[in-house]
Amino acid sequence: MLAYPTIEAAESSLGRNLTLPERLWFAYSADKSDYFLYCHNILFLFVIFSLVPLPYVFAELRRIPVFDRHKIQPKFRLSLQEMFRCYWDVMRLFFLVVGPLQLVSYPTVKFIGIRTGLPLPSGWEILMQLAVYFLVEDYTNYWIHRFLHSIVPGHIITFWLWIALRQIEAIETHSGYDLPWTPTKYIPFYGGAEYHDYHHYVGGQSQSNFASVFTYCDYIYGTDKGYQYHKKVLGKLKEEQKRAAQLNGGKRD
């Protein structure tokens, strides 16, 4: 809940006029408790888990060529029933585990300094905090997906953005498609779908590609060697297939 009873009081305390986003935030959050605002995470996660995978579901079912050529494991296909079963398992886990954990983790969020008041963070501040959130979570996730032990204090809006972006990233990483036009291709040291798919492709004996977002931990600890070798072999195989196709084409001419 905001500490200011009116917009005028907020402007007087800050010594400036509120920006449009700050006025909108004031109008929405002024009479809502911090705990209620924090519980928005559950709604955001539900929407993300339900809507973000839909393009991948459509691509998998329709086998659209522009998507199909970027499928990491072309021989592996999922039926609508199998995808719905996966969604049901995710939702069951969400309502029985993730949702309740969100409700009871509020004291931790307050302890690390997530705030709901004014002023709102600047765009640069949000970008810097999101970078820290991803780096800290990525490093801790490398070690058996342990819980966050510290993240920098920030605003609840930054926290919401991080929760949303992290889940969207996880959906993309597990989609089975290495799409060349995804914006994450331009993020330095980002693993992506192809990188993380190798971790699942190897199966229970996997000792490679543990990192959840970035690749630096696997590089530092040498747990990407299997993937790099696998990628090198596939690259040679594709080159040989390409040369063979060109030779066959020349013979037909």
Side-chain angles (χ1 to χ4, degrees):
M1 186 174 294
L2 297 183
Y4 313 110
T6 64
I7 289 181
E8 290 73 18
E11 292 178 334
S12 176
S13 177
L14 296 176
R16 61 171 174 81
N17 293 332
L18 297 186
T19 63
L20 178 59
E22 287 174 333
R23 285 177 172 270
L24 294 174
W25 179 250
F26 185 95
Y28 179 74
S29 64
D31 59 347
K32 295 178 176 63
S33 68
D34 289 355
Y35 182 70
F36 180 80
L37 293 172
Y38 172 70
C39 289
H40 283 48
N41 290 344
I42 298 176
L43 175 61
F44 295 152
L45 290 173
F46 175 77
V47 172
I48 289 169
F49 287 147
S50 299
L51 298 184
V52 173
L54 291 181
Y56 298 106
V57 172
F58 184 74
E60 182 76 1
L61 294 177
R62 301 293 296 177
R63 301 193 176 184
I64 304 172
V66 69
F67 282 89
D68 228 30
R69 68 171 64 102
H70 302 294
K71 187 171 174 61
I72 300 171
Q73 298 185 42
K75 295 182 180 180
F76 187 76
R77 292 287 178 179
L78 291 173
S79 66
L80 180 61
Q81 182 180 5
E82 289 172 320
M83 286 187 279
F84 183 78
R85 187 183 307 120
C86 176
Y87 176 75
W88 171 254
D89 290 340
V90 169
M91 285 296 103
R92 183 172 56 183
L93 182 67
F94 175 75
F95 285 111
L96 294 180
V97 180
V98 178
L101 283 176
Q102 289 289 315
L103 293 176
V104 301
S105 62
Y106 175 72
T108 303
V109 171
K110 293 297 291 184
F111 175 77
I112 62 177
I114 299 298
R115 61 184 181 86
T116 62
L118 295 173
L120 293 183
S122 66
W124 179 249
E125 183 182 350
I126 288 176
L127 287 176
M128 292 298 293
Q129 290 176 344
L130 286 175
V132 171
Y133 290 170
F134 271 104
L135 287 170
V136 171
E137 190 270 345
D138 183 66
Y139 188 83
T140 54
N141 204 330
Y142 178 87
W143 297 106
I144 321 177
H145 307 283
R146 68 182 62 170
F147 287 107
L148 295 175
H149 287 277
S150 60
I151 53 179
V152 294
H155 197 275
I156 189 69
I157 290 180
T158 307
F159 188 70
W160 287 345
L161 283 172
W162 174 65
I163 290 292
L165 290 173
R166 181 62 182 90
Q167 301 312 313
I168 292 171
E169 184 276 331
I171 290 171
E172 177 190 321
T173 300
H174 292 86
S175 68
Y177 290 86
D178 186 31
L179 304 177
W181 55 79
T182 175
T184 53
K185 289 285 186 181
Y186 301 96
I187 300 177
F189 307 108
Y190 179 77
E194 181 187 22
Y195 186 86
H196 190 68
D197 183 80
Y198 181 77
H199 177 80
H200 295 285
Y201 173 75
V202 176
Q205 303 302 317
S206 175
Q207 295 296 323
S208 294
N209 298 15
F210 291 103
S212 61
V213 180
F214 302 105
T215 60
Y216 64 93
C217 280
D218 283 313
Y219 176 78
I220 292 173
Y221 297 110
T223 49
D224 64 343
K225 292 180 179 179
Y227 167 74
Q228 296 298 341
Y229 177 78
H230 175 77
K231 191 174 182 180
K232 184 178 181 180
V233 171
L234 284 182
K236 289 183 178 179
L237 181 61
K238 289 180 180 179
E239 284 296 324
E240 292 175 358
Q241 292 175 340
K242 184 178 180 180
R243 285 197 296 269
Q246 289 174 344
L247 289 175
N248 291 334
K251 291 179 180 178
R252 284 196 295 269
D253 293 339

